[in-house]
Amino acid sequence: MADAELLQLNAELSLQLAEYWHEIDFNGGRNASGYYVEDAEFHGQYASYLGVEKIQQFYDWRIAQGPRLSVHSFTNFRAWFTGADSAEATNFLMLYARNGERIQPSHAPITISLATDRYVRRDGRWLCTYRRFEHLFEGDVPVTNPNLDDD
């Protein structure tokens, strides 16, 4: 059985992840940078963004492309301590997305990925230092992968 501290960690981090994906899905990620440390790493299947500024640049780029409806849904969330103020977590992320506004036709997720996150606790708040998505399944709607190195 898990101890109270581990249960609290899982509750805090899974709620924070739900809030993060809500920010992305309903605000386009305008405030995404608030969830990361300055030198965070964000690794997608086809692109990586190093540093919170580059991560935020991705979300700003996505917003500039026009309306896109998305739902980031996760399950099987598991977190564990890696130190007194550090933790790691995994979950399965299902991404439903399509350009345009609601209501869109229903379809299978465009990706199902194993997501791995690393966190540090600063000033009582957990911040992401590392996020990686490893696609297990892909659908026929392309994920967004801009080349931000040209900007």
Side-chain angles (χ1 to χ4, degrees), residues 74-79 89-92 94 114:
F74 66 92
T75 188
N76 293 28
F77 184 89
R78 301 167 45 251
T90 61
N91 65 87
F92 292 109
M94 288 146 288
L114 173 62

Side-chain angles (χ1 to χ4, degrees), residues 6-151:
L6 185 59
L7 291 172
Q8 180 68 27
L9 174 72
N10 274 268
E12 285 180 28
L13 290 180
S14 64
L15 177 57
Q16 183 169 303
L17 187 60
E19 290 172 353
Y20 175 76
W21 289 127
H22 187 83
E23 161 63 26
I24 303 310
D25 293 335
F26 291 98
N27 195 35
R30 287 171 178 83
N31 299 312
S33 62
Y35 291 84
Y36 293 93
V37 297
E38 284 298 316
D39 59 348
E41 298 181 26
F42 186 109
H43 299 281
Q45 188 72 20
Y46 304 109
S48 293
Y49 308 108
L50 304 180
V52 71
E53 184 177 310
K54 201 57 115 172
I55 294 167
Q56 187 61 55
Q57 186 181 0
F58 163 75
Y59 287 112
D60 294 344
W61 173 89
R62 182 60 217 112
I63 291 167
Q65 304 310 299
R68 183 169 174 89
L69 186 64
S70 67
V71 172
H72 292 78
S73 178
F74 66 92
T75 188
N76 293 28
F77 184 89
R78 301 167 45 251
W80 57 93
F81 288 100
T82 57
D85 288 314
S86 61
E88 189 165 328
T90 61
N91 65 87
F92 292 109
L93 177 70
M94 288 146 288
L95 172 58
Y96 300 83
R98 187 180 299 268
N99 288 342
E101 298 187 19
R102 68 182 201 178
I103 297 174
Q104 292 287 333
S106 183
H107 57 83
I110 67 171
T111 62
I112 301 174
S113 303
L114 173 62
T116 301
D117 296 334
R118 296 181 190 140
Y119 297 91
V120 294
R121 186 169 30 204
R122 295 203 177 141
D123 300 322
R125 181 156 187 257
W126 291 100
L127 296 173
C128 187
T129 65
Y130 174 91
R131 177 160 283 146
R132 179 185 171 109
F133 303 104
E134 298 173 73
H135 291 189
L136 304 174
F137 296 90
E138 292 183 349
D140 58 352
V141 175
V143 295
T144 52
N145 287 302
N147 181 356
L148 300 178
D149 292 333
D150 295 338
D151 295 341

